């Protein structure tokens, strides 16, 4: 969990390269004058402004990082959503600041604002983890393996640290993707931030580059795509700023995808536009350019993988409660299919867990691994008479 990092912003400098080759010799330029040769030699040995030097003597550890950022009101810790090491480092930052006596709150991109009450109930110990996942509609609205975030959420619950849902609801951002902000109804516009800043040309360039890399988004207008990104960033920034204003004693640790915090262009600049507070940005520096403009600190953790999850090997209808999870198809390797379960069956129980919707399947398998065998009950439709309830023993893949 605790890893070393490079503090790039202070130690990336321009290097002077000293060449061993002699530029401007007669063999290289037979008609050059001595003055021209001297100019060529000087040019060849001039500093390259694109070369950066990392002072290895500046390497430090997480403890030193935490000491240096403890006075910041907002700490942005970016992530790649599926990298477990990123989430462990987020927890290390939260734990370290808590240990240093900071009164914390955790802002999370991964929960949408209308579900704040369910998050509060979980942190307060009023509902268990399964009910928390159902009420926040986590598996329909985020989908990344919940185990990636579980240590952070359990730490928040154990220590009573408020968790703040930063994101706007998906229904609203989806609508903006279809019609743009200008196409929203008056009622819909009342639910988005009143102030949306479009003045940064580099933000637009970066979003357009992302758009170009996703052919599946081409059916969506680039302007609508930009509007969605702006709405995400402005919505999260406004929610964070409102929380900080209402809770002046709290330090807010914001956990979000790196694209929402790098270069300060997403959430950070939009938050400080609303509220002038000291901030710091931390990113994973692995597999990215050492650009000191991107963040204040880079972390270089070792890759850590979650244990493999056990899977039924089914494709399910999601977001619908029909008294079971409808099987729409199978994976290439499917323990459920091999056990005799059929397309069109509705899963109604896995082990001791009753299943009424997709989320219940994910909850039932949350801590199961490949090779484990699970009793699975389904309802199979019959042309005549009531649905047939069947039991199967499924080996997870």
């Amino acid at each position: 969990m605790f890893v070393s990092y490079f503090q790039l912003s202070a130690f990336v400098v321009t290097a002077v390269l000293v060449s061993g080759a002699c530029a401007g010799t007669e063999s290289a330029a037979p008609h050059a004058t001595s003055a021209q040769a001297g100019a060529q030699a000087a040019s060849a040995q001039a500093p390259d402004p694109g070369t950066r030097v990392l002072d290895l003597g500046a390497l430090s550890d997480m403890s030193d990082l935490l000491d240096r950022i403890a006075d910041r009101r907002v700490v942005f810790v970016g992530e790649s959503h599926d990298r477990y090491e990123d989430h462990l480092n987020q927890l290390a930052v939260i734990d370290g600041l808590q240990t240093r006596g900071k009164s914390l709150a955790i802002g999370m991109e991964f929960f949408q604002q209308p579900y704040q009450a369910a998050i509060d109930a979980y942190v307060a110990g009023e509902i268990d983890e399964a009910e928390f996942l159902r009420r926040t509609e986590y598996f329909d609205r985020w989908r990344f393996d919940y185990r990636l975030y579980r240590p952070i959420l359990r730490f928040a619950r154990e220590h009573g640290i408020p968790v703040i849902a930063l994101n706007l609801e998906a229904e609203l951002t989806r609508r903006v993707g279809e019609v743009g902000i200008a196409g929203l109804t008056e009622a819909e516009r009342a639910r988005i931030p009143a102030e949306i800043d479009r003045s940064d040309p580099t933000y637009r360039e970066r979003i357009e580059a992302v758009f170009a890399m996703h052919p599946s988004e081409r059916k969506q207008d680039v302007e609508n795509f930009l509007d969605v990104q702006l709405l995400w960033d402005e919505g999260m920034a406004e929610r964070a700023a409102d929380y900080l204003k209402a809770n002046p004693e709290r330090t807010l640790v914001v956990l979000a995808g790196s694209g929402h915090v790098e270069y300060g262009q997403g959430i950070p600049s939009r938050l400080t536009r609303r509220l002038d507070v000291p901030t710091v940005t931390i990113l994973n520096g692995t597999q990215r350019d050492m650009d000191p403009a991107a963040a204040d600190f880079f972390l270089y953790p070792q890759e850590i993988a979650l244990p493999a999850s056990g899977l039924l090997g089914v494709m399910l209808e999601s977001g619908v409660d029909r008294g079971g999870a409808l099987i729409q198809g199978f994976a290439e390797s499917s323990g459920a299919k091999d056990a005799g379960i059929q397309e069109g069956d509705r899963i109604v129980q896995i082990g001791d867990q009753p299943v009424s919707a997709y989320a219940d399947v994910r909850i039932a398998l949350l801590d199961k691994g490949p090779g484990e065998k699970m009793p699975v009950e389904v309802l199979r439709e019959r042309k005549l008479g009531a649905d047939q309830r069947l039991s199967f023993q499924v080996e997870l893949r």
Side-chain angles (χ1 to χ4, degrees):
M1 180 187 305
F2 297 93
V3 297
S4 62
Y5 69 94
F6 298 148
Q7 201 267 342
L8 293 182
S9 56
F11 297 103
V12 177
V13 297
T14 301
V16 178
L17 300 183
V18 179
S19 173
C22 294
T25 62
E26 284 193 25
S27 59
H31 301 294
T33 65
S34 59
Q36 290 172 328
Q40 291 172 359
S43 175
Q45 297 183 34
D48 178 359
T51 298
R52 299 203 167 118
V53 172
L54 180 63
D55 180 359
L56 296 181
L59 290 179
S60 188
D61 58 21
M62 185 66 79
S63 179
D64 181 67
L65 168 65
L66 292 163
D67 288 340
R68 297 177 67 178
I69 68 173
D71 63 341
R72 307 302 173 93
R73 184 81 194 282
V74 185
V75 180
F76 296 98
V77 192
E79 65 174 62
S80 293
H81 300 313
D82 59 354
R83 296 182 71 105
Y84 192 38
E85 62 270 22
D86 283 3
H87 303 297
L88 293 179
N89 276 325
Q90 290 171 334
L91 178 57
V93 170
I94 294 165
D95 188 5
L97 292 173
Q98 168 92 352
T99 300
R100 284 161 175 76
K102 307 301 292 185
S103 178
L104 297 180
I106 304 168
M108 302 187 82
E109 174 193 357
F110 333 110
F111 295 105
Q112 296 170 14
Q113 294 174 20
Y115 301 92
Q116 185 64 56
I119 299 170
D120 293 344
Y122 173 73
V123 171
E126 297 168 3
I127 59 175
D128 63 15
E129 186 176 67
E131 186 63 19
F132 159 68
L133 293 170
R134 291 189 190 96
R135 289 196 196 177
T136 58
E137 299 182 10
Y138 177 87
F139 294 111
D140 290 306
R141 294 180 176 272
W142 190 244
R143 293 294 184 94
F144 286 95
D145 192 331
Y146 171 70
R147 297 177 302 158
L148 294 163
Y149 303 96
R150 180 190 253 173
I152 296 170
L153 289 158
R154 286 186 169 178
F155 185 88
R157 179 178 167 110
E158 179 184 350
H159 294 277
I161 300 173
V163 174
I164 312 305
L166 294 181
N167 225 335
L168 296 172
E169 62 267 35
E171 291 84 353
L172 189 55
T173 53
R174 191 179 302 119
R175 173 73 173 153
V176 170
E178 294 168 354
V179 302
I181 291 175
L184 295 178
T185 66
E186 185 176 342
E188 289 168 338
R189 290 183 69 86
R191 292 156 52 200
I192 70 172
E195 183 182 355
I196 296 178
D197 182 9
R198 300 172 178 273
S199 64
D200 185 353
T202 59
Y203 180 89
R204 181 187 182 94
E205 291 169 6
R206 186 165 61 86
I207 297 304
E208 288 179 342
V210 172
F211 180 82
M213 291 167 54
H214 292 79
S216 63
E217 303 288 353
R218 299 288 173 80
K219 60 185 179 183
Q220 183 183 33
D221 183 87
V222 66
E223 294 301 324
N224 292 355
F225 184 79
L226 175 63
D227 277 356
V228 170
Q229 308 307 311
L230 283 166
L231 194 57
W232 270 333
D233 288 334
E234 292 283 7
M236 288 191 280
E238 182 172 83
R239 178 72 179 100
D242 288 347
Y243 181 83
L244 290 166
K245 291 173 187 176
N247 299 272
E249 79 288 357
R250 296 277 181 182
T251 293
L252 183 63
V253 180
V254 173
L255 311 182
S258 295
H260 291 293
V261 300
E262 62 188 6
Y263 297 97
Q265 292 177 331
I267 307 171
S269 64
R270 299 168 199 279
L271 188 157
T272 54
R273 192 182 76 236
R274 292 172 166 89
L275 185 66
D276 185 15
V277 291
T279 68
V280 63
T281 299
I282 303 168
L283 293 176
N284 187 330
T286 308
Q287 298 178 337
R288 67 180 299 142
D289 293 337
M290 292 186 184
D291 186 349
D296 298 296
F297 296 90
F298 282 175
L299 307 179
Y300 289 85
Q302 294 182 349
E303 185 174 353
I304 302 174
L306 281 170
S309 295
L311 304 173
L312 292 173
V314 296
M315 291 177 282
L316 300 173
E317 182 180 43
S318 64
V320 178
D321 187 344
R322 293 185 178 176
L326 179 67
I327 297 176
Q328 296 180 317
F330 296 97
E332 185 174 344
S333 175
S334 171
K337 185 177 182 180
D338 291 347
I341 295 175
Q342 299 177 7
E343 188 173 324
D345 288 347
R346 281 183 291 137
I347 300 174
V348 292
Q349 186 146 336
I350 301 175
D352 297 329
Q353 172 68 59
V355 174
S356 62
Y358 169 75
D360 294 321
V361 176
R362 296 290 300 269
I363 291 167
L365 300 177
L366 193 57
D367 294 307
K368 305 300 181 183
E372 291 190 53
K373 293 184 178 180
M374 294 292 297
V376 177
E377 296 186 18
V378 306
L379 287 180
R380 180 169 297 169
E381 186 177 0
R382 297 194 295 185
K383 292 183 180 180
L384 299 175
D387 291 348
Q388 185 179 12
R389 188 170 183 126
L390 302 171
S391 298
F392 301 88
Q393 195 75 8
V394 177
E395 182 175 337
L396 303 181
R397 301 292 169 85

